[in-house]
Amino acid sequence: MPLGSPIGSGQGLNNLANLQIIIENANIPVIVDAGIGAPSEATMAMELGADGILLNTAVAQAKSPGQMAAAMKLGVQAGRLGYLAGRMDKKYYATPSSPTNQISQAK
């Protein structure tokens, strides 16, 4: 079943909310199949917690299939590593991550 978007469409991940629900509730590995057209879309699917990506058209129809295959590999690896690292919590306000006290003043 196409999980990203229609097969061969390159439309990307059309319904992130449903994909997230499936990933969170599945007791089996989730492979995102169909619709992935760019490495960033593969990264996004992996960051959501997908276990893998299945694609063909994005590579087969690229101007440089070898380069696109390499880019997809890097996108999948980056997304998985990011997922395993754990994304920071989203906040509704700005908070500095650098210390704001005991900063030496230049003279």
Side-chain angles (χ1 to χ4, degrees):
M1 176 182 129
L3 195 51
S5 57
I7 295 170
S9 70
Q11 293 178 16
L13 304 174
N14 281 347
N15 198 330
L16 291 177
N18 282 350
L19 183 56
Q20 185 69 50
I21 290 168
I22 291 168
I23 290 170
E24 288 176 2
N25 292 292
N27 295 322
I28 58 173
V30 175
I31 307 298
V32 176
D33 176 20
I36 301 290
S40 59
E41 295 160 356
T43 301
M44 187 178 302
M46 296 303 291
E47 285 177 341
L48 288 174
D51 296 285
I53 304 293
L54 176 63
L55 61 86
N56 175 52
T57 308
V59 172
Q61 293 185 3
K63 291 178 181 133
S64 175
Q67 287 180 323
M68 183 58 77
M72 288 293 185
K73 177 182 177 180
L74 292 171
V76 168
Q77 290 173 335
R80 185 62 180 171
L81 187 58
Y83 171 75
L84 294 174
R87 188 194 190 289
M88 66 173 282
D89 292 333
K90 291 184 180 181
K91 301 174 185 173
Y92 294 105
Y93 48 87
T95 55
S97 60
S98 301
T100 57
N101 56 5
Q102 299 182 353
I103 298 174
S104 62
Q105 300 293 324
K107 293 183 182 187

